[in-house]
Short mmCIF file of all heavy atoms in Angstrom, two decimals:
data_model
loop_
_atom_site.label_atom_id
_atom_site.label_comp_id
_atom_site.label_asym_id
_atom_site.label_seq_id
_atom_site.Cartn_x
_atom_site.Cartn_y
_atom_site.Cartn_z
N GLU K 303 113.83 98.21 49.41
CA GLU K 303 113.41 99.15 48.37
C GLU K 303 113.98 100.54 48.61
O GLU K 303 114.42 101.21 47.68
CB GLU K 303 111.88 99.21 48.32
CG GLU K 303 111.38 99.91 47.07
CD GLU K 303 109.93 100.36 47.21
OE1 GLU K 303 109.07 99.49 47.40
OE2 GLU K 303 109.69 101.58 47.12
N ALA K 304 113.97 100.96 49.88
CA ALA K 304 114.51 102.29 50.21
C ALA K 304 116.00 102.33 49.87
O ALA K 304 116.50 103.33 49.34
CB ALA K 304 114.28 102.60 51.68
N VAL K 305 116.71 101.24 50.17
CA VAL K 305 118.14 101.17 49.85
C VAL K 305 118.33 101.28 48.33
O VAL K 305 119.19 102.01 47.84
CB VAL K 305 118.77 99.89 50.42
CG1 VAL K 305 120.16 99.64 49.83
CG2 VAL K 305 118.86 99.97 51.94
N ARG K 306 117.48 100.56 47.59
CA ARG K 306 117.57 100.65 46.11
C ARG K 306 117.31 102.08 45.62
O ARG K 306 118.01 102.57 44.74
CB ARG K 306 116.53 99.72 45.47
CG ARG K 306 116.98 98.28 45.29
CD ARG K 306 116.09 97.53 44.29
NE ARG K 306 114.69 97.47 44.72
CZ ARG K 306 114.18 96.55 45.57
NH1 ARG K 306 114.96 95.60 46.09
NH2 ARG K 306 112.91 96.58 45.89
N ASN K 307 116.31 102.74 46.21
CA ASN K 307 116.01 104.12 45.81
C ASN K 307 117.19 105.06 46.08
O ASN K 307 117.53 105.90 45.27
CB ASN K 307 114.79 104.65 46.57
CG ASN K 307 113.48 104.29 45.89
OD1 ASN K 307 113.45 104.07 44.68
ND2 ASN K 307 112.42 104.22 46.66
N TYR K 308 117.78 104.90 47.25
CA TYR K 308 118.91 105.76 47.60
C TYR K 308 120.10 105.48 46.68
O TYR K 308 120.83 106.40 46.29
CB TYR K 308 119.32 105.56 49.06
CG TYR K 308 118.44 106.29 50.04
CD1 TYR K 308 117.27 106.95 49.61
CD2 TYR K 308 118.76 106.38 51.39
CE1 TYR K 308 116.47 107.64 50.51
CE2 TYR K 308 117.95 107.07 52.29
CZ TYR K 308 116.81 107.69 51.84
OH TYR K 308 116.01 108.37 52.73
N LYS K 309 120.31 104.20 46.35
CA LYS K 309 121.39 103.87 45.42
C LYS K 309 121.16 104.57 44.09
O LYS K 309 122.08 105.18 43.53
CB LYS K 309 121.46 102.34 45.21
CG LYS K 309 122.12 101.60 46.37
CD LYS K 309 121.88 100.10 46.29
CE LYS K 309 122.75 99.43 45.26
NZ LYS K 309 122.75 97.95 45.45
N GLU K 310 119.95 104.47 43.59
CA GLU K 310 119.64 105.07 42.30
C GLU K 310 119.85 106.59 42.35
O GLU K 310 120.43 107.19 41.44
CB GLU K 310 118.19 104.75 41.92
CG GLU K 310 117.87 105.11 40.47
CD GLU K 310 116.45 104.67 40.06
OE1 GLU K 310 115.88 103.80 40.73
OE2 GLU K 310 115.97 105.22 39.06
N PHE K 311 119.39 107.18 43.45
CA PHE K 311 119.54 108.63 43.60
C PHE K 311 121.01 109.04 43.65
O PHE K 311 121.45 109.95 42.94
CB PHE K 311 118.81 109.06 44.88
CG PHE K 311 118.98 110.50 45.25
CD1 PHE K 311 118.57 111.51 44.38
CD2 PHE K 311 119.56 110.86 46.46
CE1 PHE K 311 118.73 112.86 44.71
CE2 PHE K 311 119.71 112.20 46.81
CZ PHE K 311 119.30 113.19 45.93
N LEU K 312 121.79 108.35 44.47
CA LEU K 312 123.21 108.70 44.60
C LEU K 312 123.96 108.42 43.30
O LEU K 312 124.89 109.16 42.94
CB LEU K 312 123.84 107.96 45.79
CG LEU K 312 123.25 108.39 47.15
CD1 LEU K 312 123.74 107.47 48.27
CD2 LEU K 312 123.61 109.85 47.47
N ASN K 313 123.56 107.38 42.57
CA ASN K 313 124.16 107.12 41.26
C ASN K 313 123.91 108.28 40.30
O ASN K 313 124.79 108.66 39.53
CB ASN K 313 123.61 105.82 40.65
CG ASN K 313 124.19 104.60 41.33
OD1 ASN K 313 125.22 104.67 42.03
ND2 ASN K 313 123.53 103.46 41.16
N LEU K 314 122.69 108.83 40.35
CA LEU K 314 122.38 109.98 39.49
C LEU K 314 123.33 111.14 39.77
O LEU K 314 123.72 111.87 38.86
CB LEU K 314 120.94 110.46 39.74
CG LEU K 314 119.79 109.62 39.18
CD1 LEU K 314 118.46 110.18 39.66
CD2 LEU K 314 119.83 109.63 37.65
N LEU K 315 123.68 111.31 41.04
CA LEU K 315 124.55 112.41 41.42
C LEU K 315 126.03 112.04 41.32
O LEU K 315 126.91 112.87 41.53
CB LEU K 315 124.25 112.86 42.85
CG LEU K 315 122.79 113.16 43.21
CD1 LEU K 315 122.71 113.73 44.61
CD2 LEU K 315 122.18 114.14 42.22
N GLY K 316 126.30 110.77 41.03
CA GLY K 316 127.69 110.30 40.91
C GLY K 316 128.41 110.20 42.24
O GLY K 316 129.64 110.23 42.29
N ILE K 317 127.67 110.07 43.32
CA ILE K 317 128.30 109.95 44.65
C ILE K 317 128.49 108.49 45.00
O ILE K 317 127.52 107.74 45.08
CB ILE K 317 127.43 110.62 45.74
CG1 ILE K 317 127.19 112.09 45.39
CG2 ILE K 317 128.09 110.49 47.10
CD1 ILE K 317 126.24 112.78 46.34
N PRO K 318 129.74 108.06 45.22
CA PRO K 318 129.97 106.66 45.63
C PRO K 318 129.56 106.46 47.09
O PRO K 318 129.53 107.42 47.86
CB PRO K 318 131.47 106.49 45.46
CG PRO K 318 132.05 107.85 45.62
CD PRO K 318 130.99 108.84 45.17
N TYR K 319 129.27 105.22 47.42
CA TYR K 319 128.76 104.97 48.78
C TYR K 319 129.11 103.57 49.22
O TYR K 319 129.34 102.67 48.42
CB TYR K 319 127.24 105.16 48.82
CG TYR K 319 126.54 104.48 47.66
CD1 TYR K 319 126.25 103.11 47.69
CD2 TYR K 319 126.24 105.19 46.50
CE1 TYR K 319 125.66 102.48 46.61
CE2 TYR K 319 125.65 104.56 45.40
CZ TYR K 319 125.37 103.21 45.45
OH TYR K 319 124.81 102.58 44.38
N LEU K 320 129.15 103.41 50.52
CA LEU K 320 129.25 102.09 51.13
C LEU K 320 127.99 101.91 51.94
O LEU K 320 127.57 102.83 52.66
CB LEU K 320 130.47 102.04 52.05
CG LEU K 320 131.80 102.18 51.31
CD1 LEU K 320 132.91 102.52 52.29
CD2 LEU K 320 132.12 100.90 50.55
N ILE K 321 127.39 100.74 51.81
CA ILE K 321 126.17 100.47 52.57
C ILE K 321 126.50 99.51 53.68
O ILE K 321 127.12 98.47 53.44
CB ILE K 321 125.09 99.85 51.66
CG1 ILE K 321 124.84 100.77 50.46
CG2 ILE K 321 123.80 99.60 52.43
CD1 ILE K 321 123.96 100.14 49.39
N SER K 322 126.14 99.87 54.88
CA SER K 322 126.38 98.92 55.97
C SER K 322 125.22 98.96 56.95
O SER K 322 124.45 99.90 57.00
CB SER K 322 127.70 99.23 56.68
OG SER K 322 127.66 100.51 57.25
N LYS K 323 125.14 97.86 57.69
CA LYS K 323 124.16 97.80 58.77
C LYS K 323 124.87 98.32 60.00
O LYS K 323 125.90 97.76 60.42
CB LYS K 323 123.72 96.35 58.95
CG LYS K 323 122.59 96.16 59.91
CD LYS K 323 122.16 94.68 59.94
CE LYS K 323 120.96 94.47 60.82
NZ LYS K 323 120.49 93.07 60.74
N ARG K 324 124.39 99.41 60.56
CA ARG K 324 125.05 100.03 61.71
C ARG K 324 125.11 99.07 62.89
O ARG K 324 124.17 98.27 63.09
CB ARG K 324 124.29 101.28 62.13
CG ARG K 324 124.48 102.48 61.20
CD ARG K 324 125.77 103.22 61.55
NE ARG K 324 125.91 104.42 60.74
CZ ARG K 324 126.65 104.48 59.62
NH1 ARG K 324 127.29 103.43 59.16
NH2 ARG K 324 126.75 105.61 58.97
N PRO K 325 126.19 99.15 63.68
CA PRO K 325 126.23 98.35 64.91
C PRO K 325 125.07 98.74 65.83
O PRO K 325 124.58 99.87 65.76
CB PRO K 325 127.56 98.74 65.57
CG PRO K 325 128.26 99.66 64.65
CD PRO K 325 127.36 100.01 63.51
N VAL K 326 124.65 97.81 66.67
CA VAL K 326 123.48 98.08 67.53
C VAL K 326 123.63 99.34 68.36
O VAL K 326 122.64 100.03 68.63
CB VAL K 326 123.16 96.90 68.48
CG1 VAL K 326 122.51 95.76 67.71
CG2 VAL K 326 124.39 96.43 69.22
N TRP K 327 124.86 99.66 68.75
CA TRP K 327 125.02 100.85 69.61
C TRP K 327 124.99 102.16 68.79
O TRP K 327 125.10 103.23 69.33
CB TRP K 327 126.32 100.76 70.43
CG TRP K 327 127.59 100.70 69.62
CD1 TRP K 327 128.34 101.77 69.20
CD2 TRP K 327 128.25 99.53 69.16
NE1 TRP K 327 129.42 101.33 68.49
CE2 TRP K 327 129.40 99.95 68.45
CE3 TRP K 327 128.00 98.15 69.28
CZ2 TRP K 327 130.29 99.07 67.85
CZ3 TRP K 327 128.90 97.27 68.67
CH2 TRP K 327 130.01 97.73 67.97
N ASP K 328 124.85 102.02 67.50
CA ASP K 328 124.86 103.22 66.67
C ASP K 328 123.60 103.31 65.79
O ASP K 328 123.55 104.07 64.84
CB ASP K 328 126.13 103.22 65.81
CG ASP K 328 126.42 104.59 65.22
OD1 ASP K 328 125.94 105.59 65.78
OD2 ASP K 328 127.10 104.65 64.18
N LYS K 329 122.60 102.51 66.13
CA LYS K 329 121.38 102.57 65.31
C LYS K 329 120.52 103.75 65.74
O LYS K 329 120.74 104.36 66.79
CB LYS K 329 120.62 101.25 65.38
CG LYS K 329 120.06 100.94 66.75
CD LYS K 329 119.43 99.54 66.80
CE LYS K 329 118.80 99.34 68.17
NZ LYS K 329 118.21 98.04 68.38
N PHE K 330 119.52 104.05 64.91
CA PHE K 330 118.60 105.15 65.18
C PHE K 330 117.83 104.88 66.47
O PHE K 330 117.35 103.75 66.68
CB PHE K 330 117.63 105.25 63.99
CG PHE K 330 116.61 106.34 64.08
CD1 PHE K 330 116.98 107.67 63.92
CD2 PHE K 330 115.27 106.05 64.28
CE1 PHE K 330 116.03 108.68 63.96
CE2 PHE K 330 114.31 107.06 64.33
CZ PHE K 330 114.70 108.38 64.17
N PRO K 331 117.71 105.90 67.34
CA PRO K 331 117.04 105.67 68.62
C PRO K 331 115.59 105.20 68.45
O PRO K 331 114.74 105.96 68.01
CB PRO K 331 117.08 107.05 69.30
CG PRO K 331 118.16 107.82 68.60
CD PRO K 331 118.17 107.30 67.20
#
Side-chain angles (χ1 to χ4, degrees):
Chain K
E303 193 198 299
V305 167
R306 275 197 299 275
N307 274 335
Y308 280 7
K309 282 167 77 165
E310 191 175 341
F311 174 60
L312 295 170
N313 286 343
L314 285 174
L315 309 186
I317 303 175
Y319 46 83
L320 295 164
I321 305 171
S322 61
K323 187 176 184 175
R324 286 277 184 262
V326 285
W327 61 90
D328 196 23
K329 66 186 184 182
F330 181 72

